[in-house]
Amino acid sequence: MDIKLEIFVTVAEKQSFSRAAEEHHMTQPAVSQYIRQLEEQIGSRLLERTNKYVRLNQAGEIIYHHAKEILALYTKMQNLVDDLAHKASGPLSIGASYTFGEYVLPRIIANMKQTYPDIQPTVTIGNTKTVAELVASHQLDIGVVEGTFHDAKLIVEDFAEDAMVIVCASTHPLANEMEAVDLKDLEQETWIVRELGSGTRAAMDNLFAKHGVFPTALMNFSSTQPIKESVEAGLGISLLSHWSLKKELKSGDLKVLPVIGLPYLRKFSIVTSTPFQTKALEVFIDVLRTNKLLTTLN
């Protein structure tokens, strides 16, 4: 691995030569020497340095962005070689969009760890767009996201189905509605929604476009939990995955509205950026494909 790039990334992230020296168990002059060598190799200064701060300049931002990708590829390359002689083990960086990451993934990882205790997963939760970008730049080994999309840099595989329903508080005037209602009849309700870029927001936008619905009021949140709490508090209604609603529906805090044409079905997708996979990644993908948790909508 290129030690100069590794040290440069640490200096950039720690914003300190001394803290980078501690991180790499070397002296501060040694860190400074590696940075000078990298700057000479690149032919440009990469850092702005004063007695008060160390920060990236414009050239440094470019090098930092690509250094992260290069270091991630070094790690993946080493893991692939190690796998030739060893069983599934080692680090596995997983990205997941909020619904899958918060409500489904923990149990899948727990199941995997029972059989493969030497795999060391780390999880990054973000919206679909963010996770896909991190996979494309090799900062994550795999992403599990909601919805279907196309990206030339990514290998996308649909592997499970998700059912989305419209929910309201148990005290909402519509909570005891017995007959199915038309989605257009909910146009005047306040909709509690995810931010643009999320798979849940994309599903809602697709559903509205399909039925020609134009809500008069939207309230945005960046994750599912505050949406559920806002709906429960009576602030409005929302379209959410059935996976995220199990506890609230069981307790009776939220009610599913009987809406014509629902549930709305979407896909959970696996996204990777290379056909070359470590054994740890192969195992995780196999667990995703075969996990009984994902074979039923009940």
Side-chain angles (χ1 to χ4, degrees):
M1 184 175 292
D2 192 326
I3 187 64
K4 296 191 295 295
L5 285 181
E6 190 174 2
I7 290 173
F8 170 72
V9 166
T10 305
V11 170
E13 292 178 345
K14 301 286 187 181
Q15 297 183 321
S16 167
F17 278 70
S18 60
R19 288 197 290 271
E22 292 174 5
E23 179 82 12
H24 291 279
H25 307 290
M26 61 178 59
T27 65
Q28 188 170 329
V31 170
S32 298
Q33 178 64 23
Y34 279 119
I35 296 299
R36 279 197 299 272
Q37 290 175 359
L38 180 62
E39 289 178 330
E40 290 172 1
Q41 180 181 337
I42 298 298
S44 175
R45 291 185 64 85
L46 305 176
L47 297 165
E48 295 180 8
R49 286 163 275 192
T50 71
N51 292 331
K52 294 183 178 180
Y53 63 80
V54 175
R55 63 189 182 197
L56 296 170
N57 59 22
Q58 190 172 5
E61 291 282 0
I62 294 171
I63 299 302
Y64 173 77
H65 173 77
H66 290 285
K68 291 284 285 186
E69 292 191 28
I70 291 168
L71 293 175
L73 287 171
Y74 267 124
T75 300
K76 184 175 291 187
M77 176 183 67
Q78 186 63 58
N79 290 338
L80 285 166
V81 173
D82 290 344
D83 279 349
L84 294 175
H86 300 91
K87 63 179 182 178
S89 62
L92 175 65
S93 56
I94 305 166
S97 50
Y98 284 96
T99 298
F100 193 90
E102 293 178 338
Y103 299 101
V104 184
L105 184 60
R107 283 174 287 174
I108 290 178
I109 290 178
N111 291 342
M112 179 182 71
K113 289 287 285 182
Q114 289 179 358
T115 308
Y116 301 97
D118 295 329
I119 294 177
Q120 303 158 15
T122 57
V123 178
T124 299
I125 305 293
N127 66 31
T128 293
K129 181 175 182 292
T130 298
V131 170
E133 289 173 349
L134 289 172
V135 174
S137 63
H138 307 288
Q139 295 182 57
L140 291 173
D141 295 320
I142 185 171
V144 184
V145 297
E146 302 135 18
T148 301
F149 62 95
H150 302 283
D151 187 316
K153 296 181 181 179
L154 295 173
I155 302 166
V156 182
E157 175 190 342
D158 295 339
F159 76 102
E161 199 168 64
D162 182 25
M164 304 188 72
V165 294
I166 296 173
V167 291
C168 67
S170 58
T171 55
H172 193 282
L174 293 171
N176 296 317
E177 184 67 48
M178 301 300 293
E179 295 185 6
V181 299
D182 192 287
L183 190 59
K184 286 285 287 184
D185 295 335
L186 303 176
E187 210 166 34
Q188 300 303 314
E189 298 289 332
T190 297
W191 286 81
I192 316 296
V193 302
R194 286 286 308 280
E195 81 287 0
L196 292 172
S198 78
T200 297
R201 178 61 178 270
M204 187 202 72
D205 290 342
N206 289 338
L207 180 65
F208 286 168
K210 179 179 177 181
H211 291 271
V213 173
F214 301 93
T216 57
L218 298 179
M219 187 180 299
N220 292 268
F221 286 92
S222 60
S223 68
T224 300
Q225 191 59 39
I227 290 179
K228 292 193 295 182
E229 293 176 3
S230 297
V231 172
E232 187 178 337
L235 292 178
I237 63 177
S238 188
L239 177 74
L240 293 172
S241 165
H242 80 294
W243 291 113
S244 69
L245 296 166
K246 289 183 178 294
K247 289 182 180 179
E248 291 78 10
L249 295 180
K250 185 176 181 179
S251 67
D253 294 326
L254 295 178
K255 298 284 187 179
V256 175
L257 292 178
V259 178
I260 298 170
L262 266 65
Y264 177 85
L265 301 181
R266 64 175 177 176
K267 300 291 185 180
F268 284 141
S269 299
I270 297 168
V271 292
T272 53
S273 59
T274 172
F276 301 105
Q277 299 173 353
T278 64
K279 287 187 178 179
L281 180 54
E282 288 179 357
V283 163
F284 180 65
I285 291 176
D286 186 59
V287 169
L288 287 175
R289 289 171 177 159
T290 60
N291 200 293
K292 292 181 180 179
L293 179 68
L294 296 169
T295 61
T296 176
L297 296 177
N298 297 324

